[in-house]
Amino acid sequence: MDIPTVSRWLGHKDGGALAMKRYGHLRQEHSFAMIKRVSFDKPEVIVSQPKPAETETGKSSVSADDRRAIAKAKAKYGYPWWVSENPLEVFWGQIHETVWIVPVEKFLETAKQAMGRQVFKQEFADRPALADEFSARTPEATLNEILAKIPAQRPATASCAETAAS
């Protein structure tokens, strides 16, 4: 948040001078944290998520069976990891789920953030290997926090790769 805006919210009349004097040093820390999240490199693989087709009535083309399957999958969890801002939680939840709850594009992005490397769609075929790699890359305390929220569930025989390929 920019300092002049916060200053106005606080009722300061000095245009942010006091806030800048007191909290200006935090801007550099914030900038360094944000720069780590930005990449100007061209991604090796670009996977686009198809948008649901809209009918004249405005309803999406997702079938009733798909909606029921997603609802049933979500009902298994006490914690809604699919809407989490934490990419580690989204990755861990989806890698252990047989139903695609998050769009493939979002999963690929969270996978990249969680694994610290580009994750390719073809790797979905071996989800246990991805889960093992994630466990090896993630500090034990962090992994324990995630497991407390999202217990690992053994995926059924239908794989994410099969669903993503269709």
Side-chain angles (χ1 to χ4, degrees):
M1 182 63 56
D2 63 281
I3 291 181
T5 300
V6 174
S7 179
R8 282 192 301 274
W9 289 348
L10 295 172
H12 297 177
K13 305 282 188 225
D14 61 4
L18 176 64
M20 187 63 176
K21 210 174 185 181
R22 180 71 175 120
Y23 300 109
H25 68 285
L26 298 176
R27 289 176 49 161
Q28 186 175 18
E29 292 171 19
H30 178 73
S31 292
F32 288 145
M34 293 300 104
I35 196 71
K36 290 178 183 177
R37 299 176 75 183
V38 174
S39 172
F40 295 103
D41 296 334
K42 185 174 179 181
E44 295 175 28
V45 175
I46 298 174
V47 178
S48 61
Q49 173 69 21
K51 305 262 189 264
E54 297 288 326
T55 63
E56 286 78 34
T57 61
K59 295 183 180 175
S60 85
S61 64
V62 176
S63 73
D65 288 339
D66 289 343
R67 282 193 302 274
R68 280 192 288 275
I70 292 169
K72 185 176 180 182
K74 287 179 175 180
K76 294 187 295 189
Y77 299 96
Y79 177 74
W81 54 263
W82 51 92
V83 293
S84 174
E85 294 293 321
N86 183 341
L88 305 177
E89 293 175 357
V90 175
F91 176 79
W92 184 257
Q94 187 62 70
I95 202 73
H96 288 93
E97 182 53 60
T98 58
V99 174
W100 276 101
I101 295 176
V102 298
V104 174
E105 185 177 77
K106 179 179 179 180
F107 179 73
L108 284 171
E109 182 56 35
T110 60
K112 181 179 179 180
Q113 293 173 6
M115 299 291 269
R117 67 169 181 84
Q118 187 73 41
V119 175
F120 298 96
K121 203 172 178 181
Q122 301 87 322
E123 293 181 86
F124 297 167
D126 192 2
R127 291 182 299 150
L130 282 175
D132 289 344
E133 181 183 347
F134 175 77
S135 297
R137 289 176 177 268
T138 306
E140 187 176 351
T142 303
L143 190 58
N144 288 337
E145 287 176 23
I146 293 169
L147 284 169
K149 291 180 182 179
I150 313 162
Q153 301 191 14
R154 181 169 291 282
T157 55
S159 73
C160 283
E162 294 167 10
T163 308
S166 59

